[in-house]
Amino acid sequence: MRHTSSPLRVNAAELLRRPGSEQKIDVAVAVAELGIPVEGDDTDERFAAGAEVGVHLRLEALTDGIVVDGTLDVPWQGTCRRCLADTSGVVHSEVHELYQRVITDPDAFELEGDLLDLQPVVRELVLLDAPATPVCRPDCAGLCPTCGTNRNEHECGCAPPPADPRWEGLAGLKDLLPPE
Ligand SMILES: [Zn+2]
Ligand SMILES: [Zn+2]
């Protein structure tokens, strides 16, 4: 989906005329406007229907291109992979890209004349950085593999899973060491 009026399609004519000059971009862009399906058969379940990405970028003109630096705030939703609770959050993606009219850097994006199109960069980072298998919090204790109790809420008292047999030899070794 391409809109000529998208805030991510920047007319860079002024910047390109004056190396060293800067332009800031602070906008919110709907995930749907990035061409990521948030409704319908091929919905990307990580994004709510009305989710918006915060785009905070600084464009700096060089003699042979434009450097784009900044961050994206990417809102995501999902199911905790440990306890299966609904969870959501915002991931901050770092942006460091170079746009050039004449590509001399193999990693650079091409300027289309005076047009600097940020959408492919933003879209790729949103797709890459929104977690596919999130956790509700870093120390989520998850569900008990034996009885299914949510161990964030209750201690179920089930025995811990058997120790890894590869370590048993080491435990025995400890008994052989002289007491300190
Ligand atoms: Zn969890
Ligand atoms: Zn249990």
Side-chain angles (χ1 to χ4, degrees), residues 31-135:
V31 172
E33 281 212 33
L34 298 171
I36 297 169
V38 293
E39 276 173 303
D41 293 339
D42 53 354
T43 298
D44 190 325
E45 305 283 351
R46 294 175 296 170
F47 306 105
E52 289 190 331
V53 178
V55 178
H56 311 289
L57 300 175
R58 193 176 63 103
L59 281 43
E60 186 186 350
L62 308 176
T63 49
D64 64 343
I66 295 174
V67 173
V68 178
D69 268 307
T71 54
L72 307 178
D73 305 325
V74 182
W76 57 268
Q77 61 180 13
T79 303
C80 175
R81 69 167 180 263
R82 294 188 199 149
C83 74
L84 308 181
D86 286 342
T87 184
S88 62
V90 177
V91 67
H92 303 285
S93 303
E94 300 263 331
V95 182
H96 301 288
E97 299 293 351
L98 174 65
Y99 283 73
Q100 294 183 312
R101 264 182 176 145
V102 179
I103 302 282
T104 56
D105 183 323
D107 294 328
F109 287 81
E110 195 171 1
L111 288 161
E112 303 162 31
D114 291 335
L115 182 72
L116 192 158
D117 189 356
L118 292 165
Q119 196 201 316
V121 168
V122 172
R123 182 176 190 274
E124 190 174 315
L125 282 172
V126 168
L127 287 172
L128 206 67
D129 289 348
T133 54
V135 285

Side-chain angles (χ1 to χ4, degrees), residues 6-12 15 23 25 59 114-118:
S6 166
L8 298 183
R9 287 166 70 80
V10 179
N11 184 334
L15 275 174
Q23 182 177 338
I25 301 200
L59 281 43
D114 291 335
L115 182 72
L116 192 158
D117 189 356
L118 292 165

Side-chain angles (χ1 to χ4, degrees), residues 144-149 151 156-158:
C144 171
T146 306
C147 72
T149 292
R151 293 186 295 195
C156 59
C158 292

